[in-house]
Amino acid sequence: MSRRYEHLLQPLDLGFTQIKNRVVMGSMHTGLEDRFYNYSKLAAYFAERAKGGVGLLITGGIAPNRQGWLLPAGGTMNMLGDVLPHRLVTRAVHRHGAKILMQILHAGRYGYQPFVVSASAIKSPISPFKPRKMSERNIQQTIVDFAQCAALAKAAGYDGVEVMGSEGYLINQFLSRHVNQRQDQWGGEIQNRMRFAVEIVKAIRAKVGEKFIISFRLSMIDLVKDGNSMQDVIAVAQALEQAGVTLMNTGIGWHEARVPTIVTSVPRAAFVEYTAEVKKHLRIPVIASNRINMPDTAEQILATGQADMVQMARPLLADPEWVKKTEQGRVDEINTCIACNQACLDHTFKNIRATCLVNPRAAYETELVYRKAKQHKRIAVVGGGVAGMSAAMVAAERGHQVTLFEARDELGGQFNLAKVVPGKEEFHQTIRYFKSKIAKLKIEVRLNTKINREQLQREGFDDVVVATGVVPRDLQLTGQARLRVLSYADVLRGAEVGKRVAVIGAGGIGFDVAEFLLKPEQQPQPQPLAQWQREWGVDRNAHYDSAGGLSQPHVDAPIREIYLMQRKDTPLGIGLGKTTGWVHRAQLKKHAVKMLSGVSYKQVTEEGLWIHHQGHDQLLRVDTIVVCAGQESVRDIMPAESQWGNQTYHIIGGAKLAAELDAKRAIRDGAELAARL
Ligand code: NAP
Ligand code: SF4
């Protein structure tokens, strides 16, 4: 066992049961839990993480009744017939010595269905459905349903349940004045607002007995108007402990909060101090959560006594062997979650199966399988971006002999540009991961090598994978030689930029470039926590008195005047990720970036850029123009036919299709191709 992570790898004794280490795989809705016929896939997904060494796993949210559905016909446990598919999951996990809890989630007013209920009839800003206020009878029946659900979970072989009481779901709606405006015994002072949560826990405990884990996920900081103070949170936590909770888990912010809580720009372990504050007042073990993705961060939290366990969900999607690699001192081989949300939460919110951008096998364990190759081939991969690295790695893992050619002097491709954008520092980790795997698998890497077909033929490769990627689109603007006109790649590689800038193109990269240009040169990266809290208006006092832990946001004056533009007349940024786009839009708005849609670009002069906007021509007096107008494929090495001489050519990633290219497609393309070679 690695002594470096001794706190993380230490068992936890709960008296009636033991958990083999301090790593909790937090609840994450994959979409597989909603249909009984997907439970064998769900079992394989959890089994892989249990085999990888996780101590305690928690399923995605399962509703205790129909009113509690997050989505129509979502996963429910309220009849004996619901138990059977879950047994596949519990058996698969227990086979590897891990423990598993079923999370009980009643969505309340966050349900995407017309029968939603809540503490009060107040619609949430992120849901189209107005909830009905729950009657006394409805409340009592819901408590019974929670207890029945937990009893059925026990029958299904779970080691316990987690009661979802945070992130703005039903129980949180009762706990906070933000939604709870009742005058009866379930509303008013905190003693009344917590009654629903406490009665649920008491009812569950009475039904399941003492030797069954009850975890409660409690909002440590609501981050919404009229949310609870830390004193309220502590009072609730103590009452829940009294009522029979075994583990106190952390929830941070409501889904409707306008403070980011898990996106990549949130500093690592940003909210741990609030959990530590609650822990001071409890005897039961406490679990820390949010933006913990690497063993050093996790170990630090445990070693300093801020929590007893650490919860990660997305990092274990990214790497099911996270714990095993930590135990074996192979931390450099961890495929780190970059907190992009692109393939997990963004999928969930679009009602498609969650997976992971950096690990396309996540939730596809039975479908994307890397079998040992029957015939070992010599494979050339041309292009060392993420598509090429992904293909090279999987091909080598399967037993092929792989050579990776890269024209530049470093591997990483477009990720080398992304990693310098403020708040995207985690992208370094993906490059580090691929590089260590490439070294471990003894893939031959030839940097500074622009290979051609004849050379590849001479070297006798069996297959050639073309992963030559993209170049930024050059718009050839009329008069562009008269002013400083740069591509986004020039800017992110360090070209000098003036103080008044027009950014042409407002896709993901246009937004990234605008954020890059707003960063003062001396600002350290990643952004220090205190500065981030100040910018987003998060109360820095761990024992905050402010409602919901909110304070007045403070933003420094912008260092540049920036126009961000697109030709479409839709609002800017609507194509960005569902769970991340609002953060980027808010960030640019705070820094007074002028966002223009419905623009046409006329010409460039020494004075600036002439555009046509809202019916008339106007001059933007800028000194620099940055073009972020998409990309074009680089495929000069690809022959017209896939067979060239005795070699078979394959094309992947941006080289295959530049439009709407993203790293999710690039990495998956590489892995899927290499799984077939
Ligand atoms: P993109 O999202 O396709 O955006 C290209 C932008 O250029 C659009 O705003 C488009 O708007 C404009 N454009 C396209 N052709 C143009 C032309 N001929 N003249 C002038 N403007 C033109 O591509 P991207 O920003 O380059 O990003 C590449 C990929 O990386 C995308 O798939 C993106 O999702 C991904 N990415 C994502 C993030 C993220 O945060 N999630 C960040 C970076 C990159 P108009 O056509 O309306 O002018
Ligand atoms: Fe993490 Fe992105 Fe993978 Fe989600 S898709 S698990 S955020 S790396």
Side-chain angles (χ1 to χ4, degrees):
M1 183 179 100
S2 167
R3 283 193 61 78
R4 187 159 172 208
Y5 303 110
E6 59 184 336
H7 295 89
L8 188 58
L9 301 173
Q10 206 174 76
L12 178 69
D13 191 352
L14 294 175
F16 62 93
T17 188
Q18 284 76 38
I19 298 168
K20 65 181 173 187
N21 54 46
R22 305 304 177 100
V23 179
V24 181
M25 177 168 180
S27 176
M28 170 101 197
H29 197 82
T30 60
L32 293 172
E33 45 288 274
D34 291 334
R35 301 287 172 264
F36 71 89
Y37 50 79
N38 280 331
Y39 269 68
S40 52
K41 290 178 187 158
L42 191 64
Y45 160 81
F46 279 121
E48 202 155 295
R49 275 103 197 137
K51 189 175 170 207
V54 178
L56 179 67
L57 299 98
I58 307 176
T59 68
I62 302 290
N65 57 30
R66 287 170 173 221
Q67 278 182 344
W69 281 344
L70 191 56
L71 296 164
T76 319
M77 175 84 92
N78 65 4
M79 295 187 301
L80 209 50
D82 296 325
V83 165
L84 273 182
H86 287 265
R87 289 207 174 127
L88 294 176
V89 171
T90 54
R91 280 191 198 128
V93 167
H94 289 153
R95 219 168 279 142
H96 300 287
K99 301 280 186 314
I100 183 161
L101 311 183
M102 190 188 86
Q103 189 187 71
I104 311 178
L105 181 149
H106 190 305
R109 68 177 196 156
Y110 278 172
Y112 252 68
Q113 37 102 355
F115 309 109
V116 286
V117 293
S118 186
S120 301
I122 304 171
K123 196 177 95 56
S124 125
I126 58 167
S127 168
F129 303 103
K130 185 172 175 185
R132 183 171 55 74
K133 177 182 168 185
M134 290 171 82
S135 65
E136 176 71 28
R137 202 162 144 239
N138 195 179
I139 291 174
Q140 296 293 357
Q141 182 57 47
T142 304
I143 294 169
V144 170
D145 290 341
F146 265 90
Q148 166 73 356
C149 184
L152 291 169
K154 192 174 179 186
Y158 286 103
D159 302 281
V161 289
E162 172 163 279
V163 178
M164 180 44 153
S166 65
E167 323 308 293
Y169 291 112
L170 181 71
I171 296 175
N172 212 175
Q173 291 159 28
F174 269 86
L175 284 172
S176 155
R177 288 185 203 275
H178 183 66
V179 175
N180 187 345
Q181 305 196 347
R182 303 175 74 101
Q183 309 291 328
D184 57 9
Q185 61 160 339
W186 308 99
E189 291 307 310
I190 189 64
Q191 297 308 325
N192 280 356
R193 301 202 304 274
M194 71 165 83
R195 192 181 307 278
F196 184 53
V198 171
E199 292 303 318
I200 285 172
V201 170
K202 281 187 187 162
I204 292 177
R205 185 52 83 207
K207 195 95 177 173
V208 297
E210 290 306 311
K211 295 182 178 173
F212 193 65
I213 300 171
I214 303 178
S215 166
F216 192 97
R217 185 130 176 231
L218 178 66
S219 183
M220 302 287 162
I221 182 164
D222 286 335
L223 300 173
V224 289
K225 187 171 155 285
D226 300 328
N228 286 338
S229 66
M230 179 48 82
Q231 203 174 326
D232 294 336
V233 176
I234 291 167
V236 177
Q238 288 177 323
L240 290 169
E241 181 179 63
Q242 219 29 55
V245 163
T246 326
L247 295 171
M248 189 63 67
N249 196 358
T250 291
I252 300 292
W254 291 39
H255 285 321
E256 68 203 62
R258 291 299 88 179
V259 176
T261 57
I262 56 167
V263 303
T264 192
S265 54
V266 176
R268 284 187 184 175
F271 297 98
V272 150
E273 283 173 19
Y274 308 104
T275 303
E277 186 62 24
V278 173
K279 180 176 156 53
K280 285 183 202 160
H281 302 269
L282 297 180
R283 284 188 300 270
I284 55 173
V286 171
I287 308 171
S289 178
N290 285 51
R291 287 292 285 120
I292 302 166
N293 62 349
M294 286 300 274
D296 285 333
T297 315
E299 177 68 14
Q300 168 84 4
I301 292 167
L302 300 176
T304 52
Q306 290 177 298
D308 304 283
M309 301 185 87
V310 286
Q311 167 169 269
M312 293 170 285
R314 298 173 301 165
L316 292 158
L317 254 77
D319 197 333
E321 295 194 321
W322 193 101
V323 178
K324 197 181 189 180
K325 289 176 182 173
T326 303
E327 277 169 355
Q328 296 174 350
R330 296 190 289 131
V331 170
D332 61 321
E333 285 178 49
I334 289 179
N335 191 5
T336 307
C337 165
I338 56 173
C340 65
N341 289 356
Q342 271 174 257
C344 52
L345 289 178
D346 284 350
H347 278 205
T348 304
F349 279 92
K350 283 192 252 167
N351 206 7
I352 48 181
R353 194 195 310 179
T355 178
C356 172
L357 179 140
V358 297
N359 172 23
R361 290 195 67 247
Y364 286 82
E365 287 74 14
T366 57
E367 293 146 279
L368 180 56
V369 183
Y370 306 148
R371 293 199 172 82
K372 284 285 167 216
K374 289 198 181 96
Q375 183 203 345
H376 290 184
K377 298 186 190 175
R378 289 196 63 219
I379 296 175
V381 178
V382 185
V386 290
M389 291 195 291
S390 165
M393 185 187 82
V394 174
E397 270 174 354
R398 295 188 54 230
H400 296 303
Q401 189 187 331
V402 182
T403 306
L404 178 58
F405 297 93
E406 167 57 45
R408 291 189 166 269
D409 59 0
E410 59 176 348
L411 294 175
Q414 298 273 307
F415 260 48
N416 285 320
L417 302 179
K419 74 186 186 192
V420 302
V421 173
K424 288 202 164 174
E425 296 79 17
E426 296 285 6
F427 283 57
H428 282 276
Q429 301 291 337
T430 305
I431 302 173
R432 182 266 307 144
Y433 161 73
F434 276 121
K435 281 186 180 167
S436 32
K437 290 295 285 186
I438 284 168
K440 178 111 200 268
L441 291 162
K442 300 197 170 25
I443 295 171
E444 186 192 351
V445 179
R446 293 197 215 161
L447 298 175
N448 303 306
T449 307
K450 194 149 171 45
I451 194 94
N452 61 35
R453 282 201 292 266
E454 287 70 25
Q455 288 165 306
L456 289 167
Q457 188 76 250
R458 275 200 299 280
E459 295 207 28
F461 291 104
D462 299 304
D463 287 73
V464 178
V465 178
V466 177
T468 38
V470 292
V471 284
R473 181 175 286 131
D474 181 354
L475 292 183
Q476 303 287 347
L477 297 163
T478 310
Q480 75 177 30
R482 297 193 195 133
L483 203 73
R484 175 170 280 272
V485 179
L486 303 168
S487 76
Y488 66 83
D490 299 328
V491 171
L492 297 174
R493 288 197 182 106
E496 201 177 307
V497 177
K499 288 287 176 204
R500 296 188 319 280
V501 187
V503 178
I504 294 183
I509 292 179
F511 271 77
D512 276 356
V513 163
E515 287 185 41
F516 177 81
L517 294 174
L518 288 169
K519 184 182 92 70
E521 245 165 53
Q522 65 281 13
Q523 184 184 298
Q525 261 181 282
Q527 190 177 22
L529 178 59
Q531 191 191 43
W532 180 87
Q533 288 169 320
R534 197 169 66 112
E535 263 192 18
W536 285 99
V538 179
D539 197 325
R540 292 194 55 202
N541 183 357
H543 199 99
Y544 57 87
D545 291 326
S546 53
L550 293 175
S551 63
Q552 190 58 35
H554 179 90
V555 179
D556 294 330
I559 60 159
R560 285 192 170 91
E561 185 186 351
I562 299 176
Y563 294 90
L564 178 63
M565 294 170 287
Q566 67 179 22
R567 296 171 303 173
K568 290 186 281 291
D569 54 14
T570 51
L572 267 71
I574 53 166
L576 299 177
K578 177 108 180 143
T579 59
T580 53
W582 69 270
V583 183
H584 297 296
R585 285 192 296 273
Q587 190 73 343
L588 297 197
K589 214 167 151 190
K590 278 194 285 185
H591 288 91
V593 171
K594 298 177 190 73
M595 299 191 229
L596 312 181
S597 55
V599 171
S600 54
Y601 312 107
K602 307 303 283 182
Q603 61 164 323
V604 182
T605 68
E606 285 79 4
E607 294 166 300
L609 174 67
W610 281 93
I611 60 168
H612 188 79
H613 183 234
Q614 295 183 333
H616 54 271
D617 289 349
Q618 52 177 292
L619 172 67
L620 304 182
R621 291 188 181 280
V622 294
D623 50 38
T624 311
I625 297 171
V626 184
V627 179
C628 306
Q631 297 82 18
E632 275 153 13
S633 299
V634 179
R635 41 164 60 180
D636 42 0
I637 198 174
M638 185 70 196
E641 302 289 332
S642 60
Q643 203 62 34
W644 202 77
N646 53 4
Q647 290 177 332
T648 309
Y649 275 70
H650 313 264
I651 187 162
I652 57 170
K656 184 162 100 189
L657 182 67
E660 290 178 21
L661 166 72
D662 61 13
K664 180 173 72 174
R665 172 155 66 80
I667 293 176
R668 177 172 281 275
D669 253 16
E672 285 182 344
L673 170 71
R676 293 194 303 270
L677 285 176

